[in-house]
Amino acid sequence: MLVTAVAGSTPEPPTTAAVLPLCHRPWVGWMTDLRGLWVSLFGKAARGGLAPRRVGPAGADWSPYERFDEAARVYFLHADVALESVGGVLGRRRVRGFTLERVVDLTEAGASVWQEAAVCDGRRLILWHSEEVADDEAPGGTVLDSSVQVLPLGAIRHVGMRTMVGRDPAGLRVNRGVHLVLATATPHELNPVQDGDPEAPIAAARFRPEAFRFSKSLDDGGPGQITRLISFGRLMGRLVPG
């Protein structure tokens, strides 16, 4: 099911009302502990914080390229790593749709290039990301942390897309931005539930589902990548089992 909104609030996956005993919490894979919260590695560019800044040569736009391998080669700084990682999972299956992102993450340790790809082959969502991390023993002082995650489309329980629609100087309609949310049923954030007695032990918790967020705007990606992300969101809405 695809939930869409136009120039409104971003559709968010609903907070699950179910209460799980803490002793039966599932392991949440592919997560990293950031400021005490469990957050997903993927969809990082749209999670907020410092505004992402484009890197690389001007005009390195992947949106004109229909093939994933061609788009990755003109857009990613480490295209060979991305193609090997995703290709090893794809095998002979055809890419039905994809979206790419590349940002600079500014931290106290300096700037780190973050790259990610979301690729759908009709049965699975393949998520690849890489990040440069410091390593004093490596030549150049950094290494590339490359990860891949594979989700069957049946694991996606919510697809939400918000489109910002405006007018150009000629009065023609133009898409000015898009936000896409893909949520699973995997617990993402656990909050303790108390029965009113602060001294009583915590026996249960409410959870929010794991969600992957992607966004494009006129300033971040341009009209071509906005159109491609909208197409990708619609594809996911069609293919996710209802």
Side-chain angles (χ1 to χ4, degrees):
M1 178 181 67
L2 174 64
V3 179
T4 60
V6 178
S9 58
T10 305
E12 291 290 339
T15 302
T16 303
V19 178
L20 297 180
L22 291 182
C23 60
H24 294 119
R25 291 184 300 180
W27 175 76
V28 182
W30 297 91
M31 312 286 271
T32 182
D33 192 5
L34 178 62
R35 297 178 183 176
L37 297 177
W38 289 98
V39 294
S40 171
L41 283 171
F42 300 90
K44 181 177 181 179
R47 279 208 306 267
L50 293 173
R53 176 172 61 87
R54 293 317 247 175
V55 298
D61 181 14
W62 61 267
S63 64
Y65 299 89
E66 296 295 331
R67 292 175 55 93
F68 169 67
D69 57 339
E70 294 177 349
R73 288 190 178 98
V74 302
Y75 189 66
F76 285 148
L77 298 179
H78 308 92
D80 56 336
V81 178
L83 294 174
E84 180 179 349
S85 299
V86 176
V89 175
L90 273 173
R92 296 180 178 273
R93 293 193 62 84
R94 179 172 65 92
V95 174
R96 298 285 300 275
F98 63 90
T99 185
L100 310 180
E101 185 58 77
R102 187 181 62 178
V103 301
V104 169
D105 205 16
L106 300 178
T107 67
E108 294 181 356
S112 175
V113 178
W114 176 281
Q115 303 170 112
E116 66 181 9
V119 181
C120 178
D121 66 0
R123 295 189 312 174
R124 304 166 298 174
L125 178 65
I126 303 168
L127 299 162
W128 172 83
H129 100 279
S130 74
E131 184 176 17
E132 294 175 337
V133 296
D135 186 338
D136 294 337
E137 298 181 358
T142 63
V143 295
L144 189 69
D145 183 355
S146 173
S147 300
V148 65
Q149 179 179 8
V150 181
L151 294 176
L153 294 186
I156 299 175
R157 301 298 179 87
H158 173 92
V159 180
M161 187 162 62
R162 172 192 177 194
T163 307
M164 308 299 292
V165 180
R167 299 283 178 179
D168 65 11
L172 301 177
R173 191 178 72 177
V174 59
N175 292 320
R176 302 186 61 84
V178 59
H179 303 269
L180 175 65
V181 179
L182 307 176
T184 74
T186 302
H188 168 67
E189 180 179 337
L190 293 167
N191 296 311
V193 176
Q194 294 179 319
D195 59 4
D197 182 1
E199 302 299 328
I202 298 173
R206 296 185 184 276
F207 69 89
R208 290 183 179 274
E210 177 186 39
F212 308 109
R213 295 173 172 83
F214 308 91
S215 68
K216 295 292 182 181
S217 67
L218 293 179
D219 293 329
D220 178 21
Q225 293 182 33
I226 291 174
T227 300
R228 292 295 297 272
L229 183 55
I230 291 174
S231 297
F232 181 73
R234 290 172 176 170
L235 173 70
M236 297 301 297
R238 293 193 302 269
L239 295 179
V240 168

